[in-house]
Amino acid sequence: MAMVGLFWIAEGDVYVGAKPSGLAPGVRLSPEGVVALGDGQSGLHLWEDVRSLTVTDVPVKTVMRRVGAVTGMAWTTVLNLVDPGSGGADDAPGLMTLNVKTATGDHELAAYVAAAVGYSQAETDLSRALLTRLAEGAATMTTTLAAMSEWGRTWEGGSPREAEREALLREWLG
């Protein structure tokens, strides 16, 4: 499993945002189409019907967001020291929205953010360009999604470093 830009790649599966678990919302990009997962959203939007894919509500990594994450961890540690049963902060990760425009209308699909402190601006921009590319047509989608899936099947280890992630996104953009 690895995060590359706004995508979570687990073996051959490609997700926008974090891979969902249980009833959590999520979005999987399959060879057939865009699959809505989780409680409150379901369905398959076939690639032949997809006109565009755009993502909103993406948290971009900033110095203040990093400081906030460190401060939050410190605050949780203090709470746990003062009251070990408190469990500290239990904030759920943020949600992103994947807007899927199809021949039959617009669909908003929710997916949890996978990056704790947000995504770099470069990875966000490259990921958005990649989503646009996936919606360009069957041949483009097939080769791009196949390359992402193949990388996921052969990759061993956690998420690559930021420069490697950006290079992969550029490679998949062709």
Side-chain angles (χ1 to χ4, degrees), residues 13-109:
D13 294 329
V14 178
Y15 299 88
V16 176
K19 178 182 177 181
S21 174
L23 298 176
V27 178
R28 186 167 65 89
L29 304 176
S30 76
E32 295 78 30
V34 179
V35 182
L37 304 167
D39 193 30
Q41 64 182 27
S42 64
L44 169 66
H45 303 287
L46 299 174
W47 286 114
E48 61 206 36
D49 297 331
V50 173
R51 302 291 181 257
S52 70
L53 296 170
T54 56
V55 66
T56 58
D57 309 318
V58 177
V60 176
K61 190 184 318 182
T62 63
V63 171
M64 290 308 294
R65 189 177 295 278
R66 288 181 190 172
V67 168
V70 170
T71 304
M73 286 187 298
W75 185 244
T76 299
T77 301
V78 169
L79 284 175
N80 285 331
L81 288 172
V82 172
D83 181 8
S86 71
D90 59 347
D91 292 346
L95 287 170
M96 296 186 296
T97 304
L98 180 67
N99 300 294
V100 183
K101 184 174 187 149
T102 67
T104 60
D106 296 341
H107 311 275
E108 290 187 349
L109 306 177

Side-chain angles (χ1 to χ4, degrees), residues 86-153:
S86 71
D90 59 347
D91 292 346
L95 287 170
M96 296 186 296
T97 304
L98 180 67
N99 300 294
V100 183
K101 184 174 187 149
T102 67
T104 60
D106 296 341
H107 311 275
E108 290 187 349
L109 306 177
Y112 280 116
V113 171
V117 294
Y119 302 93
S120 74
Q121 188 63 58
E123 283 185 274
T124 300
D125 293 344
L126 289 166
S127 296
R128 285 182 167 147
L130 191 51
L131 286 167
T132 297
R133 182 160 176 75
L134 287 168
E136 286 177 351
T140 302
M141 178 281 306
T142 301
T143 56
T144 304
L145 194 56
M148 295 171 79
S149 295
E150 180 60 28
W151 178 85
R153 280 190 288 278

